[in-house]
Every structure is written in structure tokens, then in C-alpha cells.
Amino acid sequence: MTLQIRAISIYSRGGDRRDVSLKLGALNIVTGASKTGKSALLDIVDYCWGRGECAVAEGEIRRGVSWFAVHLDNDGEGILLARKNPGPARKSSDEIFFARGIEELPSDPAGFHKNITADGLKSQLSAILGISENIHIPDEGATRQPLEASSRHAIIFCLQAQDEIANRRLLFHRQGDPFIPQAIRDSIPYFLGAVDEDHFLALKRYQDAKARLRRLEREFADVESISNGATGAARSLYQEARRAGLIPNDPDPGYAETVFALLRQAAVPQPTHFSAIDDPEADLAALDDRRRALLGQLQDLREEIADAQRLTREAGEFENEAREQQARLASIGLVSSDDGGGGHTCPLCESHLSVPIPSVEDIRASLMHLQTQLRSVRRDAPRLQERLASLEGRRADLSEQLRTVQADIGKRIQDNERLRLEQHQFAEQARVAGRIAYYLENTKAAAPSSDLPRKIEQLRAEVEELQRAIDEDAAQERLLTSLNLVGHDLTRFASALKLEHGENPLRLDLKHLTVVADTDDGPLSLSQMGSGENWVGYHVAAHLSLHSLFRRRHRPVPAFLMLDQPSQAHYPPERDQDGKIEGLGDEDQAAVHQLYGLLHRYSEAVPQMQVIVTDHVELLDDWFRGSIIERWRNGIALVPLDWLRS
């Protein structure tokens, strides 16, 4: 199985397509100026493969592209991975399109739609790669979860971004992300072929058997503890059952057999009978609403009675005052109506008055008006009394209703409390009965006739047999052999690149995920080696060594390696001279030639391996020019200019 890339494509927002076609089993070079989109090719492959976040830099690509696509080749079968561009300022899109048997890419993205999830894509790619069932189970006491190697781990060994290939401390793709370093350590033994599928299956069966054994041993310890204190525990449960009402409150029997018989009786579920109250809380709320309504009506009636009483009182006061006035004016009959003095002569002593008095007719008219008012008051008084009596009767009726409702509320509160006590007693009985049933069951399990000890012995024998079948020492030996093979190729490639310390034996350190040179003075890790040339060279050598073993052992890792800007230590972007290296020093020119010469020879020696490089440099050698698939200069870039104008 060799999974390689036929093309990396982008689609414009207007529906146009731009392809970067690649050669299978060969060296592919995309050369060009800065800011033309070379580094985006690796990010597009990573994103379409199912990475959670789109690493394509913000700019023209994010603005002008609608969909990214990768056309894979699986031993002649075309496989399409397409994923929607999340657009500016967004991290990701869950719209992924996956299709098999695709020989020609669609001319436009009209048919692209979400037909698979990221997890589904992982499963599909894992199956295509041939990743079989596997599991890495951490050592006992570790807090991390078991890991199953998948396509998401396999792609880590196929990509080297610009900021990774020259990193002195990080060797692998995304090694600086959380949890990725441990995932690399856990999965690389499987990808190297150091442990096979039979080992993983035996390990899984061993872990399952150990878990079952621990569970049975805990159960047996519990029942043994119960069995050892059976009589005392039984009498304690007997007393609890008496207090809960599960057993009659008779004198304590003296025989243990009688106690166990009563406990078995108490463990049988009893029928439950609660008081017949449909919905006590709702009923109490309705009664309280009724009480509030009656209180409101009584308050309104009291105010109306107070108004009627006030009217009665005011009418009585007016009548008393009017009677007194009437008595005062009654003497008008004794006064003569003849007053020639025009009201200036006193009617009693006939003396002259400075202030004239009302005429007799005026006084009589006032008296007549007063008598009319008195008759009206006497006529309305019986009606007012009748109204007041009616209001008092209604008040008495409402007061009686209120007393009845308050009595019902009190009774219902008592009923609710009784029901709560009944429910509490039932819960207590159920709890005690459950404890008794558990005790009796475990006492039975601990009996000499129980088959629990026999099951434990059988499971212990199975665990020992599976442990012998796993043979961790043999697995470690196979892993060490795999690393030695990688180290042999690593030393050979480093020597070809004339890297510092390359004359020493080199190895891949899985604990620290770095390259180590074993010198006479002791081990020397990559972070302790100087110069960008060494960092880039060891990155390239390490990944070529890993893929050499992947291909020889036919391991389920994609058969391509993408390298971004491997010449940056000698040919940085700011010194770009249309790709020409004549302006570099002799040592830099030689180092660039050595690096690309190694990649070219590797591609010819391993024909089932595809190497994809994006860089600024452009050598004049025929083999280099023959490997160039795209040259992005003088306005040519990944995203055509007319896409940005539209």
C-alpha cells in the first residue's frame, strides 16, 4: 500500500479551480518568491486530512478561496479530500467532502457538501492506510487514557513546516501542541512495526482479564468480611429491622437460625399503602388561595359597613342639631308680624336696634325648611339600618366560611405531615431491607458451596497465561531493533550531508523525541548542536530514515514527505535572487547541493516514496530542473491574480 498525492487544488469563490499537480514516487519541487503561497500547500494537506484548526495564514488565500482539495492516489485509486475554507478570522469549518474512485477532480465545487465528520474521515483514512486494530495501554498508575494509533498520528511523520524543519528542540510536526508528544511516543512503536497486531490483541485481553480479576477479588474480600462477622452483623441488622417495623417488636430470639429466618422475612419487599391524597400540595395551595380571597372580601365588607355606620351617625347628629334649632325657632309664634321699624325695633322690648333682625317671615321659612330636612332624615333612617343589618349578615357568613377554610388548611397540613412520616418510614424500611438482602446474598456467596473462589482461581491462571503471551521484553527488543535500523540510516544520511557530529553513531531518542549523537564525551542531543544547517539536516535525515523503514516494512504511513523551506539556513527569503545561489558562499552553495542531492538520490532509491519540497532556491542541475513542478515568480502564485480582482 502506498498512499501519495496526485494534486493539491484550490477553488475560487467564483467556481474556478487551480491545481498543483504532483508526480508519484518522485521528487517534486515548488520553487518561487516569498508570499506566493508555497507554505500553504503543506497547511492545506494537513487541514484536509482532518486537522482541527486551519493553519493557512490569513491573507489572499483565506479571502480568495472557497474550498481546499487534496487528490490522493491509493495504489491507482483516486481519493478526494475536500474541505471548505473557514474564511478570514475563523479557525475551522466542519464541511468535509470525501469520495473514493475519483479519477478527475470536479471543475467547480458545486457538488461539494458535508458528507462526513472529522472522526469519520479519520476512520476512513485509517482503513485506507491499513491501520489495524491496536491499542497502547499506559503503565499502571498513569493518568492518561489508552491510545489507538490512527491516520491522525500517521500524518505527523509526513509533514515538516517551515518553523519546524529548522527547530532545534522539536523534531516532529506539531510536537509543540498539547498532548501530541505523548501521542507520538505511544504510537510510533506500532508504526515502526516493533509490535504487531497479535501483541495488541493479547495486551487488550490481558488488561480485560486483570480488570475482571480485580473486581472479583474485591467482591470476595467483601463477602469474606461479612462472613467473618456474620452473627454480630445479623443481630445488628435484626435490631434495625425491628426499629423500622419490618419485624414484630417481640423479645430478641436467642438462636442465630431464628435471627436469620426473621431477616429473610424482612428482606422480602412489603406492599406499600399511602394515605389517599391525590395532590396534597396542590390542594393546600387551593385552600390558601380561597382563604386569601375570603380575607379580601371581608376587608371590603368591613369598609362598606364602616361607611354605613358613619352615615347613620352623621344622620343622628344632624337630627339632634335640627331638633334643637326647631325648638329655638318655635317661639316665632309669639312674635308679631307687624314691624314698622323695618327690623330695627326689638319684638320683645320694642327698643331700637342698630343691626336690623330678619323678618318673621324669613324665620318661619327657615323653620319650614328645617322641618322638611328632619322628615327626610327620619324617612331614610330605617333604610340605612336595614342596609347595615344586611352587611352585618354577609360579614357573619364570610367569617364562618373563613373559619371553615382555616380549619381545612390545618387538617390538610396535618395530613401532609402524616403522609411525609409514612413516606419517610417506607424509605427507611426499603433501606434496611436492601441492606439485609445484600448481607444475606453475600453471606450465601461466602458459604462453602459458593463458586466465587473457583472463578478467581481460574481467572488468575488466565491472567498469568496472557502475561506470558505478551512478552514485554520481546516487544522492547523489537522496538530497540527498529530504532537501531533507523539510527543506521540516520547516521548514513547525516554523513552524506556532512553534518556536525555526523561521524558519530546517531539514534532517535523516543523519550525526548530528538536526535542524539553518541560521542566519546557522552550523548549529545540536537538542541546541544549548533547552526541552522545541522538542525535542518538532522530533521531531514531523521524523517528520511523513518520513511525508509516504513516502506521496507510496508507500514500504514502515507508514502509522502512534505518539506517546507529546507534551504532556509543557507538561503533565507530576504536574500532571494530569483532562486539563484551564486551569490552565496561556497560552503552554503555546497550545503544546498548536498541537501537536494540527498533528496534526489533518495527518491530514485525508494521509488514508492514521494518527496514534496517548497523552497526559494532554484539550482541549475538538470535533475533539479526536472524535479520542478511549479515556478512561482513574476506574478505567478498559488492564487491567480484574477481571483483577487473578482
Side-chain angles (χ1 to χ4, degrees):
M1 188 284 306
T2 55
L3 187 68
Q4 301 183 19
I5 303 176
R6 292 185 184 180
I8 302 171
S9 303
I10 57 175
Y11 290 84
S12 73
R13 300 193 180 278
D16 297 328
R17 191 185 82 204
R18 163 81 158 94
D19 298 330
V20 178
S21 300
L22 302 169
K23 295 177 289 187
L24 303 179
L27 175 62
N28 296 262
I29 300 175
V30 177
T31 182
S34 299
K35 300 180 181 180
T36 53
K38 298 187 302 298
S39 297
L41 295 177
L42 184 147
D43 295 328
I44 290 172
V45 172
D46 198 10
Y47 181 59
C48 290
W49 194 269
R51 183 172 178 174
E53 181 176 344
C54 180
V56 176
E58 295 286 346
E60 296 175 349
I61 301 176
R62 284 289 193 103
R63 291 195 303 270
V65 174
S66 61
W67 282 78
F68 302 115
V70 176
H71 195 195
L72 300 173
D73 184 275
N74 181 37
D75 289 335
E77 179 194 10
I79 299 173
L80 175 61
L81 309 180
R83 193 166 182 184
K84 190 172 184 179
N85 178 14
R90 292 187 59 189
K91 292 185 177 181
S92 179
S93 171
D94 63 351
E95 295 189 49
I96 305 173
F97 180 76
F98 171 82
R100 301 190 64 166
I102 304 298
E103 298 307 316
E104 296 292 337
L105 288 176
S107 59
D108 59 68
F112 292 166
H113 59 278
K114 181 180 179 180
N115 65 352
I116 196 170
T117 63
D119 287 340
L121 179 64
K122 178 189 74 172
S123 300
Q124 287 284 349
L125 291 174
S126 297
I128 291 170
L129 287 170
I131 297 177
S132 57
E133 182 180 357
N134 67 89
I135 191 73
H136 174 85
I137 300 177
D139 297 333
E140 291 189 19
T143 57
R144 67 183 188 277
Q145 296 296 318
L147 178 136
E148 181 178 4
S150 69
S151 58
R152 290 183 182 172
H153 304 108
I155 196 66
I156 290 175
F157 306 104
C158 302
L159 304 175
Q160 282 284 283
Q162 180 179 359
D163 58 345
E164 295 168 340
I165 198 169
N167 195 305
R168 63 192 298 182
R169 292 182 174 84
L170 305 178
L171 183 63
F172 294 100
H173 179 56
R174 299 183 61 192
Q175 186 177 332
D177 292 358
F179 310 112
I180 295 296
Q182 191 59 54
I184 296 173
R185 297 186 190 98
D186 292 345
S187 62
I188 198 170
Y190 170 75
F191 288 119
L192 287 174
V195 286
D196 55 17
E197 287 73 13
D198 293 337
H199 173 84
F200 286 114
L201 293 177
L203 183 62
K204 185 68 167 61
R205 289 196 297 268
Y206 170 72
Q207 293 292 337
D208 291 343
K210 282 190 65 177
R212 295 199 308 272
L213 178 60
R214 285 194 297 267
R215 185 172 64 253
L216 288 181
E217 287 176 339
R218 284 195 301 268
E219 291 180 6
F220 186 69
D222 291 342
V223 298
E224 267 198 327
S225 175
I226 292 173
S227 179
N228 293 336
T231 304
R235 292 193 176 278
S236 176
L237 288 173
Y238 171 79
Q239 296 298 332
E240 282 194 56
R242 285 179 60 185
R243 288 193 297 270
L246 293 172
I247 295 176
N249 198 15
D250 296 334
D252 192 348
Y255 299 101
E257 292 79 2
T258 306
V259 171
F260 275 93
L262 291 172
L263 287 178
R264 284 191 288 271
Q265 175 186 343
V268 178
Q270 301 295 323
T272 305
H273 300 286
F274 292 119
S275 301
I277 301 178
D278 294 336
D279 190 353
E281 295 299 329
D283 194 21
L284 187 61
L287 288 172
D288 188 61
D289 292 342
R290 175 64 176 158
R291 181 183 67 85
R292 293 176 184 274
L294 289 173
L295 287 173
Q297 294 177 27
L298 271 175
Q299 180 62 30
D300 294 341
L301 197 57
R302 289 192 187 100
E303 293 177 358
E304 193 172 352
I305 290 174
D307 291 341
Q309 289 175 340
R310 186 176 64 254
L311 287 175
T312 301
R313 185 174 58 255
E314 291 176 352
E317 293 173 354
F318 177 76
E319 183 178 4
N320 292 336
E321 182 67 23
R323 284 176 180 170
E324 184 178 348
Q325 292 294 330
Q326 185 182 26
R328 291 175 182 172
L329 296 176
S331 60
I332 192 61
L334 302 176
V335 181
S336 173
S337 61
D338 183 14
D339 182 13
H344 290 276
T345 301
C346 178
L348 297 178
C349 63
E350 296 183 354
S351 61
H352 181 76
L353 298 174
S354 59
V355 178
I357 62 174
S359 65
V360 174
E361 293 301 327
D362 291 337
I363 294 175
R364 285 177 176 167
S366 178
L367 180 60
M368 291 299 293
H369 179 66
L370 188 59
Q371 289 174 343
T372 301
Q373 288 181 328
L374 279 172
R375 284 194 299 272
S376 176
V377 169
R378 294 190 186 102
R379 184 175 61 251
D380 292 339
R383 299 175 184 172
L384 196 57
Q385 292 297 327
E386 182 180 359
R387 173 63 177 166
L388 191 58
S390 174
L391 293 176
E392 290 290 350
R394 286 180 57 194
R395 181 168 65 175
D397 181 57
L398 288 176
S399 297
E400 181 63 26
Q401 293 182 42
L402 182 60
R403 282 193 294 272
T404 301
V405 169
Q406 289 175 334
D408 290 343
I409 290 175
K411 183 175 182 301
R412 186 49 45 83
I413 291 175
Q414 292 178 353
D415 291 341
N416 290 352
E417 181 64 18
R418 185 176 64 257
L419 179 61
R420 187 187 65 79
L421 293 175
E422 290 177 359
Q423 292 174 336
H424 176 74
Q425 183 180 13
F426 170 72
E428 180 65 14
Q429 289 178 347
R431 184 187 67 82
V432 175
R435 290 187 60 198
I436 294 172
Y438 177 77
Y439 168 80
L440 293 174
E441 182 67 25
N442 286 292
T443 302
K444 178 181 178 182
S449 59
S450 171
D451 64 345
L452 190 57
R454 180 181 58 82
K455 290 181 178 178
I456 291 176
E457 289 302 321
Q458 290 177 346
L459 200 51
R460 282 174 179 167
E462 182 182 350
V463 168
E464 291 176 0
E465 183 179 355
L466 288 171
Q467 190 172 18
R468 287 193 297 269
I470 291 173
D471 195 358
E472 287 289 348
D473 292 338
Q476 286 298 320
E477 286 293 330
R478 289 194 296 270
L479 178 58
L480 182 59
T481 298
S482 300
L483 292 177
N484 286 338
L485 292 174
V486 172
H488 179 269
D489 286 338
L490 178 57
T491 303
R492 180 166 57 89
F493 294 143
S495 178
L497 292 175
K498 299 180 180 180
L499 300 178
E500 187 178 356
H501 308 291
E503 70 281 0
N504 297 296
L506 300 169
R507 57 186 169 90
L508 191 63
D509 182 357
L510 290 188
K511 181 179 180 181
H512 301 97
L513 297 180
T514 188
V515 171
V516 173
D518 290 320
T519 70
D520 293 336
D521 297 325
L524 194 65
S525 67
L526 180 61
S527 61
Q528 298 171 293
M529 302 178 191
S531 84
E533 176 186 353
N534 284 314
W535 304 333
V536 173
Y538 278 115
H539 274 256
V540 173
H543 284 79
L544 293 181
S545 302
L546 285 170
H547 278 276
S548 294
L549 188 59
F550 292 156
R551 301 279 64 81
R552 289 199 303 270
R553 290 186 170 180
H554 307 287
R555 299 307 298 161
V557 178
F560 62 83
L561 176 63
M562 297 189 71
L563 307 173
D564 186 25
Q565 314 289 338
S567 70
Q568 60 184 282
H570 309 281
Y571 192 77
E574 62 271 11
R575 297 175 61 184
D576 183 23
Q577 301 176 4
D578 291 332
K580 300 176 183 178
I581 65 171
E582 284 76 8
L584 303 178
D586 293 339
E587 292 184 359
D588 289 328
Q589 292 188 43
V592 173
H593 269 100
Q594 289 169 0
L595 178 62
Y596 275 97
L598 174 62
L599 295 175
H600 173 65
R601 292 191 301 273
Y602 182 86
S603 299
E604 290 188 330
V606 188
Q608 68 272 31
M609 182 68 188
Q610 182 184 45
V611 179
I612 305 166
V613 186
T614 54
D615 211 335
H616 297 273
V617 70
E618 185 174 343
L619 305 182
L620 300 178
D621 303 77
D622 292 338
W623 56 265
F624 188 96
R625 291 179 176 273
S627 300
I628 295 176
I629 58 169
E630 294 270 350
R631 183 179 287 103
W632 294 349
R633 295 184 183 277
N634 301 320
I636 301 175
L638 175 61
V639 179
L641 293 177
D642 56 347
W643 287 17
L644 303 176
R645 299 191 188 102
S646 58

